[in-house]
Amino acid sequence: MTMMMSSSSRGRAREGATYAITEEGRKGPTGLVCDWLEIWDYVGGGSFRGFVAESSNVDHERHMFVFLERPAIGSDLKPGLMSIIELASSPLFECSGLVLGLDRSLPQPEVQTLMRDLGWVGFSLVTLAAWTQGPAPLSSKWLFMAMDM
């Protein structure tokens, strides 16, 4: 399903923050992934892919995972990230947290700058321990940062 949405915060639209979302509601084999999405940020020029996962704990918390790949890093991330944060906390997804996957193949100075900037917004480094049954796996492709909504 494709939706065109204007980003707004309690009735206040952000200037030019329009994006499209492609969503396919599928359950994964473990039942954790409940939505797939692709987001196009027409303001900043980036596109992002991700999914929404529901934890298997008693609270059934939902977290949106969004992957920042090389092409998205070269764009203006601010409008897109603001829209993603707003989207994750919206009634459409009702996520209690947002997890960003940073591409480890990016040059080290870019990753350090991005991590510092995301830290100012409220993101911190995390492992995937909260979403696995055993020890936390380490990804050779992604570095994960999360924030609570």
Side-chain angles (χ1 to χ4, degrees), residues 49-100:
R49 292 183 180 166
F51 58 90
V52 176
E54 188 171 291
S55 67
S56 57
N57 64 17
V58 177
D59 297 334
H60 295 287
E61 291 182 341
R62 295 168 56 100
H63 285 77
M64 182 177 286
F65 287 75
V66 176
F67 297 91
L68 304 180
E69 297 177 281
R70 185 177 294 273
I73 301 300
S75 66
D76 180 12
L77 289 176
K78 184 178 178 181
L81 284 177
M82 289 172 59
S83 294
I84 289 169
I85 290 169
E86 188 171 313
L87 180 66
S89 62
S90 74
L92 180 63
F93 291 107
E94 296 180 334
C95 294
S96 59
L98 175 62
V99 180
L100 297 179

Short mmCIF file of all heavy atoms in Angstrom, two decimals, residues 49-100:
data_model
loop_
_atom_site.label_atom_id
_atom_site.label_comp_id
_atom_site.label_asym_id
_atom_site.label_seq_id
_atom_site.Cartn_x
_atom_site.Cartn_y
_atom_site.Cartn_z
N ARG A 49 14.62 2.50 4.07
CA ARG A 49 13.86 1.26 4.17
C ARG A 49 13.88 0.80 5.61
O ARG A 49 14.83 1.07 6.34
CB ARG A 49 14.48 0.18 3.28
CG ARG A 49 14.33 0.51 1.83
CD ARG A 49 14.86 -0.58 0.97
NE ARG A 49 14.67 -0.17 -0.41
CZ ARG A 49 15.24 -0.75 -1.42
NH1 ARG A 49 16.03 -1.77 -1.23
NH2 ARG A 49 15.01 -0.32 -2.64
N GLY A 50 12.85 0.10 6.00
CA GLY A 50 12.81 -0.38 7.36
C GLY A 50 11.63 -1.29 7.61
O GLY A 50 10.96 -1.75 6.69
N PHE A 51 11.41 -1.54 8.88
CA PHE A 51 10.31 -2.39 9.31
C PHE A 51 9.93 -2.04 10.74
O PHE A 51 10.66 -1.35 11.44
CB PHE A 51 10.67 -3.88 9.20
CG PHE A 51 11.88 -4.28 10.02
CD1 PHE A 51 11.75 -4.70 11.34
CD2 PHE A 51 13.15 -4.24 9.45
CE1 PHE A 51 12.85 -5.06 12.09
CE2 PHE A 51 14.26 -4.61 10.19
CZ PHE A 51 14.11 -5.02 11.52
N VAL A 52 8.77 -2.51 11.15
CA VAL A 52 8.32 -2.36 12.53
C VAL A 52 8.32 -3.75 13.14
O VAL A 52 7.77 -4.69 12.55
CB VAL A 52 6.92 -1.72 12.61
CG1 VAL A 52 6.43 -1.67 14.05
CG2 VAL A 52 6.94 -0.33 12.00
N ALA A 53 8.96 -3.88 14.29
CA ALA A 53 9.02 -5.16 14.99
C ALA A 53 8.32 -5.04 16.33
O ALA A 53 8.44 -4.04 17.02
CB ALA A 53 10.48 -5.58 15.20
N GLU A 54 7.60 -6.09 16.67
CA GLU A 54 6.92 -6.14 17.96
C GLU A 54 7.64 -7.15 18.83
O GLU A 54 7.89 -8.28 18.41
CB GLU A 54 5.47 -6.57 17.75
CG GLU A 54 4.62 -6.46 19.00
CD GLU A 54 3.16 -6.69 18.69
OE1 GLU A 54 2.55 -5.83 18.03
OE2 GLU A 54 2.64 -7.74 19.11
N SER A 55 8.01 -6.74 20.03
CA SER A 55 8.73 -7.64 20.92
C SER A 55 7.82 -8.74 21.42
O SER A 55 6.60 -8.58 21.48
CB SER A 55 9.34 -6.86 22.09
OG SER A 55 8.33 -6.36 22.91
N SER A 56 8.42 -9.84 21.80
CA SER A 56 7.64 -10.97 22.28
C SER A 56 7.43 -10.93 23.79
O SER A 56 6.87 -11.85 24.36
CB SER A 56 8.33 -12.28 21.87
OG SER A 56 9.65 -12.30 22.39
N ASN A 57 7.86 -9.84 24.44
CA ASN A 57 7.66 -9.74 25.89
C ASN A 57 6.20 -9.42 26.20
O ASN A 57 5.37 -9.23 25.31
CB ASN A 57 8.61 -8.71 26.52
CG ASN A 57 8.36 -7.30 26.02
OD1 ASN A 57 7.31 -6.99 25.46
ND2 ASN A 57 9.32 -6.43 26.21
N VAL A 58 5.87 -9.34 27.45
CA VAL A 58 4.49 -9.13 27.89
C VAL A 58 3.93 -7.80 27.37
O VAL A 58 2.76 -7.71 27.01
CB VAL A 58 4.41 -9.17 29.44
CG1 VAL A 58 3.00 -8.89 29.92
CG2 VAL A 58 4.90 -10.50 29.94
N ASP A 59 4.76 -6.77 27.30
CA ASP A 59 4.29 -5.45 26.87
C ASP A 59 4.03 -5.35 25.37
O ASP A 59 3.35 -4.44 24.93
CB ASP A 59 5.31 -4.37 27.27
CG ASP A 59 5.49 -4.28 28.76
OD1 ASP A 59 4.55 -4.64 29.49
OD2 ASP A 59 6.57 -3.85 29.19
N HIS A 60 4.58 -6.24 24.58
CA HIS A 60 4.46 -6.21 23.12
C HIS A 60 4.85 -4.84 22.56
O HIS A 60 4.13 -4.25 21.76
CB HIS A 60 3.05 -6.59 22.66
CG HIS A 60 2.71 -8.01 22.99
ND1 HIS A 60 3.24 -9.08 22.31
CD2 HIS A 60 1.92 -8.55 23.95
CE1 HIS A 60 2.79 -10.20 22.81
NE2 HIS A 60 1.98 -9.90 23.81
N GLU A 61 5.97 -4.31 23.01
CA GLU A 61 6.44 -3.01 22.52
C GLU A 61 6.78 -3.11 21.05
O GLU A 61 7.27 -4.13 20.57
CB GLU A 61 7.68 -2.57 23.30
CG GLU A 61 7.40 -2.20 24.73
CD GLU A 61 8.65 -1.73 25.43
OE1 GLU A 61 9.77 -2.02 24.95
OE2 GLU A 61 8.51 -1.07 26.46
N ARG A 62 6.53 -2.01 20.35
CA ARG A 62 6.83 -1.94 18.92
C ARG A 62 7.97 -0.96 18.71
O ARG A 62 7.99 0.12 19.31
CB ARG A 62 5.59 -1.49 18.14
CG ARG A 62 4.47 -2.49 18.20
CD ARG A 62 3.16 -1.92 17.69
NE ARG A 62 3.24 -1.39 16.35
CZ ARG A 62 2.84 -2.01 15.24
NH1 ARG A 62 2.33 -3.21 15.33
NH2 ARG A 62 2.94 -1.44 14.07
N HIS A 63 8.92 -1.33 17.86
CA HIS A 63 10.04 -0.46 17.51
C HIS A 63 10.13 -0.39 16.00
O HIS A 63 9.98 -1.39 15.31
CB HIS A 63 11.36 -1.01 18.06
CG HIS A 63 11.51 -0.79 19.53
ND1 HIS A 63 10.86 -1.55 20.47
CD2 HIS A 63 12.23 0.12 20.20
CE1 HIS A 63 11.18 -1.13 21.67
NE2 HIS A 63 12.01 -0.11 21.54
N MET A 64 10.37 0.81 15.50
CA MET A 64 10.59 0.99 14.07
C MET A 64 12.09 0.95 13.81
O MET A 64 12.87 1.63 14.47
CB MET A 64 10.02 2.33 13.60
CG MET A 64 10.17 2.54 12.10
SD MET A 64 9.42 4.08 11.52
CE MET A 64 7.68 3.63 11.59
N PHE A 65 12.50 0.10 12.88
CA PHE A 65 13.88 0.00 12.46
C PHE A 65 14.01 0.65 11.09
O PHE A 65 13.26 0.30 10.17
CB PHE A 65 14.31 -1.47 12.34
CG PHE A 65 14.50 -2.17 13.65
CD1 PHE A 65 13.40 -2.56 14.41
CD2 PHE A 65 15.78 -2.42 14.12
CE1 PHE A 65 13.58 -3.20 15.62
CE2 PHE A 65 15.96 -3.08 15.34
CZ PHE A 65 14.86 -3.46 16.09
N VAL A 66 14.91 1.61 10.94
CA VAL A 66 15.12 2.29 9.67
C VAL A 66 16.61 2.25 9.37
O VAL A 66 17.44 2.51 10.24
CB VAL A 66 14.62 3.75 9.73
CG1 VAL A 66 14.94 4.48 8.44
CG2 VAL A 66 13.12 3.79 10.00
N PHE A 67 16.95 1.90 8.13
CA PHE A 67 18.35 1.74 7.74
C PHE A 67 18.82 2.93 6.91
O PHE A 67 18.20 3.28 5.91
CB PHE A 67 18.51 0.42 6.97
CG PHE A 67 18.16 -0.75 7.84
CD1 PHE A 67 16.87 -1.25 7.88
CD2 PHE A 67 19.12 -1.32 8.66
CE1 PHE A 67 16.53 -2.31 8.71
CE2 PHE A 67 18.81 -2.39 9.49
CZ PHE A 67 17.51 -2.87 9.51
N LEU A 68 19.90 3.55 7.37
CA LEU A 68 20.49 4.69 6.68
C LEU A 68 21.65 4.18 5.83
O LEU A 68 22.75 3.95 6.33
CB LEU A 68 20.98 5.74 7.68
CG LEU A 68 19.95 6.27 8.66
CD1 LEU A 68 20.57 7.31 9.58
CD2 LEU A 68 18.77 6.89 7.93
N GLU A 69 21.37 3.99 4.56
CA GLU A 69 22.39 3.49 3.64
C GLU A 69 23.15 4.65 3.02
O GLU A 69 22.77 5.81 3.17
CB GLU A 69 21.72 2.63 2.57
CG GLU A 69 21.05 1.41 3.18
CD GLU A 69 20.32 0.58 2.16
OE1 GLU A 69 19.20 0.97 1.80
OE2 GLU A 69 20.90 -0.44 1.73
N ARG A 70 24.18 4.33 2.29
CA ARG A 70 25.07 5.34 1.72
C ARG A 70 24.36 6.45 0.97
O ARG A 70 24.63 7.63 1.21
CB ARG A 70 26.12 4.66 0.83
CG ARG A 70 27.15 5.62 0.30
CD ARG A 70 28.20 4.90 -0.51
NE ARG A 70 29.00 4.00 0.28
CZ ARG A 70 30.11 4.35 0.93
NH1 ARG A 70 30.51 5.59 0.89
NH2 ARG A 70 30.80 3.47 1.62
N PRO A 71 23.41 6.18 0.06
CA PRO A 71 22.76 7.30 -0.66
C PRO A 71 22.01 8.25 0.26
O PRO A 71 21.98 9.46 0.03
CB PRO A 71 21.79 6.59 -1.61
CG PRO A 71 22.29 5.21 -1.75
CD PRO A 71 22.98 4.88 -0.45
N ALA A 72 21.40 7.73 1.32
CA ALA A 72 20.64 8.59 2.24
C ALA A 72 21.56 9.49 3.04
O ALA A 72 21.21 10.62 3.37
CB ALA A 72 19.79 7.75 3.18
N ILE A 73 22.76 9.02 3.34
CA ILE A 73 23.70 9.79 4.15
C ILE A 73 24.14 11.05 3.41
O ILE A 73 24.37 12.08 3.99
CB ILE A 73 24.93 8.94 4.55
CG1 ILE A 73 24.50 7.72 5.34
CG2 ILE A 73 25.94 9.75 5.32
CD1 ILE A 73 23.77 8.01 6.62
N GLY A 74 24.19 10.98 2.10
CA GLY A 74 24.61 12.14 1.31
C GLY A 74 23.53 13.21 1.20
O GLY A 74 23.79 14.31 0.72
N SER A 75 22.31 12.91 1.64
CA SER A 75 21.21 13.88 1.54
C SER A 75 21.07 14.64 2.86
O SER A 75 21.72 14.33 3.85
CB SER A 75 19.91 13.15 1.21
OG SER A 75 19.54 12.31 2.28
N ASP A 76 20.17 15.62 2.86
CA ASP A 76 19.86 16.36 4.08
C ASP A 76 18.96 15.47 4.94
O ASP A 76 17.80 15.25 4.61
CB ASP A 76 19.15 17.67 3.73
CG ASP A 76 18.80 18.50 4.95
OD1 ASP A 76 19.28 18.19 6.06
OD2 ASP A 76 18.02 19.46 4.80
N LEU A 77 19.48 14.93 6.03
CA LEU A 77 18.75 13.96 6.83
C LEU A 77 17.71 14.57 7.77
O LEU A 77 16.79 13.88 8.19
CB LEU A 77 19.73 13.13 7.68
CG LEU A 77 20.60 12.14 6.92
CD1 LEU A 77 21.58 11.48 7.86
CD2 LEU A 77 19.74 11.10 6.23
N LYS A 78 17.86 15.84 8.10
CA LYS A 78 17.00 16.43 9.13
C LYS A 78 15.50 16.31 8.83
O LYS A 78 14.75 15.81 9.66
CB LYS A 78 17.38 17.89 9.38
CG LYS A 78 16.58 18.52 10.51
CD LYS A 78 17.01 19.94 10.76
CE LYS A 78 16.17 20.57 11.84
NZ LYS A 78 16.56 21.96 12.08
N PRO A 79 15.01 16.74 7.65
CA PRO A 79 13.56 16.63 7.40
C PRO A 79 13.08 15.18 7.42
O PRO A 79 12.01 14.88 7.95
CB PRO A 79 13.35 17.26 6.04
CG PRO A 79 14.63 17.82 5.59
CD PRO A 79 15.70 17.37 6.52
N GLY A 80 13.88 14.29 6.85
CA GLY A 80 13.49 12.88 6.81
C GLY A 80 13.45 12.26 8.19
O GLY A 80 12.50 11.55 8.53
N LEU A 81 14.47 12.51 9.00
CA LEU A 81 14.49 11.95 10.35
C LEU A 81 13.38 12.52 11.23
O LEU A 81 12.77 11.80 12.02
CB LEU A 81 15.85 12.19 11.02
CG LEU A 81 16.98 11.29 10.53
CD1 LEU A 81 18.29 11.66 11.20
CD2 LEU A 81 16.65 9.83 10.76
N MET A 82 13.09 13.81 11.07
CA MET A 82 11.98 14.39 11.83
C MET A 82 10.67 13.71 11.45
O MET A 82 9.84 13.41 12.32
CB MET A 82 11.91 15.90 11.57
CG MET A 82 13.05 16.67 12.21
SD MET A 82 13.13 18.40 11.75
CE MET A 82 11.56 19.01 12.26
N SER A 83 10.47 13.45 10.17
CA SER A 83 9.25 12.79 9.72
C SER A 83 9.21 11.34 10.19
O SER A 83 8.15 10.84 10.58
CB SER A 83 9.15 12.84 8.20
OG SER A 83 9.00 14.17 7.78
N ILE A 84 10.36 10.65 10.19
CA ILE A 84 10.40 9.26 10.64
C ILE A 84 10.08 9.17 12.13
O ILE A 84 9.33 8.31 12.56
CB ILE A 84 11.78 8.63 10.32
CG1 ILE A 84 11.92 8.43 8.81
CG2 ILE A 84 11.96 7.32 11.06
CD1 ILE A 84 13.31 8.08 8.35
N ILE A 85 10.64 10.08 12.92
CA ILE A 85 10.36 10.10 14.36
C ILE A 85 8.87 10.33 14.60
O ILE A 85 8.23 9.65 15.41
CB ILE A 85 11.22 11.17 15.07
CG1 ILE A 85 12.68 10.73 15.07
CG2 ILE A 85 10.73 11.41 16.49
CD1 ILE A 85 13.66 11.82 15.50
N GLU A 86 8.31 11.27 13.87
CA GLU A 86 6.89 11.56 14.01
C GLU A 86 6.04 10.38 13.55
O GLU A 86 5.05 10.03 14.19
CB GLU A 86 6.55 12.80 13.19
CG GLU A 86 5.15 13.29 13.42
CD GLU A 86 4.92 14.62 12.76
OE1 GLU A 86 5.76 15.51 12.91
OE2 GLU A 86 3.88 14.74 12.09
N LEU A 87 6.43 9.75 12.46
CA LEU A 87 5.69 8.61 11.93
C LEU A 87 5.72 7.44 12.92
O LEU A 87 4.70 6.79 13.16
CB LEU A 87 6.29 8.18 10.59
CG LEU A 87 5.65 7.01 9.90
CD1 LEU A 87 4.23 7.37 9.47
CD2 LEU A 87 6.48 6.60 8.69
N ALA A 88 6.89 7.17 13.50
CA ALA A 88 7.02 6.04 14.44
C ALA A 88 6.12 6.21 15.64
O ALA A 88 5.56 5.24 16.16
CB ALA A 88 8.47 5.90 14.87
N SER A 89 5.95 7.44 16.11
CA SER A 89 5.12 7.67 17.30
C SER A 89 3.66 7.93 16.95
O SER A 89 2.84 8.11 17.85
CB SER A 89 5.68 8.84 18.11
OG SER A 89 5.65 10.03 17.35
N SER A 90 3.32 7.95 15.68
CA SER A 90 1.94 8.23 15.26
C SER A 90 1.02 7.05 15.57
O SER A 90 1.48 5.92 15.77
CB SER A 90 1.90 8.52 13.76
OG SER A 90 2.07 7.32 13.03
N PRO A 91 -0.28 7.28 15.59
CA PRO A 91 -1.24 6.19 15.82
C PRO A 91 -1.17 5.09 14.75
O PRO A 91 -1.60 3.98 15.00
CB PRO A 91 -2.60 6.89 15.78
CG PRO A 91 -2.32 8.32 16.09
CD PRO A 91 -0.94 8.59 15.55
N LEU A 92 -0.63 5.41 13.59
CA LEU A 92 -0.50 4.41 12.53
C LEU A 92 0.42 3.27 12.95
O LEU A 92 0.14 2.11 12.69
CB LEU A 92 0.04 5.07 11.25
CG LEU A 92 0.24 4.17 10.04
CD1 LEU A 92 -1.09 3.59 9.58
CD2 LEU A 92 0.88 4.96 8.91
N PHE A 93 1.53 3.58 13.64
CA PHE A 93 2.49 2.56 14.05
C PHE A 93 2.59 2.39 15.57
O PHE A 93 2.94 1.32 16.03
CB PHE A 93 3.87 2.86 13.47
CG PHE A 93 3.93 2.69 11.99
CD1 PHE A 93 3.99 3.80 11.16
CD2 PHE A 93 3.91 1.44 11.41
CE1 PHE A 93 4.04 3.65 9.78
CE2 PHE A 93 3.96 1.28 10.03
CZ PHE A 93 4.02 2.39 9.21
N GLU A 94 2.38 3.43 16.34
CA GLU A 94 2.43 3.39 17.81
C GLU A 94 3.68 2.71 18.34
O GLU A 94 3.61 1.80 19.16
CB GLU A 94 1.18 2.71 18.37
CG GLU A 94 -0.09 3.46 18.07
CD GLU A 94 -1.32 2.76 18.62
OE1 GLU A 94 -1.31 1.52 18.80
OE2 GLU A 94 -2.30 3.47 18.87
N CYS A 95 4.84 3.15 17.87
CA CYS A 95 6.11 2.57 18.31
C CYS A 95 6.58 3.24 19.59
O CYS A 95 6.39 4.43 19.79
CB CYS A 95 7.17 2.74 17.23
SG CYS A 95 6.80 1.80 15.73
N SER A 96 7.21 2.46 20.43
CA SER A 96 7.77 3.02 21.67
C SER A 96 9.24 3.36 21.50
O SER A 96 9.85 3.93 22.40
CB SER A 96 7.58 2.04 22.83
OG SER A 96 8.21 0.81 22.53
N GLY A 97 9.81 3.02 20.35
CA GLY A 97 11.20 3.34 20.10
C GLY A 97 11.53 3.32 18.62
O GLY A 97 10.80 2.75 17.81
N LEU A 98 12.63 3.95 18.29
CA LEU A 98 13.13 4.01 16.91
C LEU A 98 14.57 3.55 16.91
O LEU A 98 15.37 4.01 17.73
CB LEU A 98 13.02 5.44 16.38
CG LEU A 98 13.60 5.72 15.00
CD1 LEU A 98 12.88 4.91 13.92
CD2 LEU A 98 13.49 7.22 14.68
N VAL A 99 14.90 2.63 16.02
CA VAL A 99 16.26 2.11 15.89
C VAL A 99 16.75 2.44 14.49
O VAL A 99 16.09 2.11 13.51
CB VAL A 99 16.31 0.58 16.12
CG1 VAL A 99 17.74 0.07 15.98
CG2 VAL A 99 15.74 0.21 17.47
N LEU A 100 17.89 3.12 14.41
CA LEU A 100 18.50 3.43 13.12
C LEU A 100 19.68 2.50 12.89
O LEU A 100 20.50 2.29 13.79
CB LEU A 100 19.00 4.88 13.10
CG LEU A 100 17.95 5.97 13.25
CD1 LEU A 100 18.62 7.34 13.24
CD2 LEU A 100 16.90 5.88 12.16
#
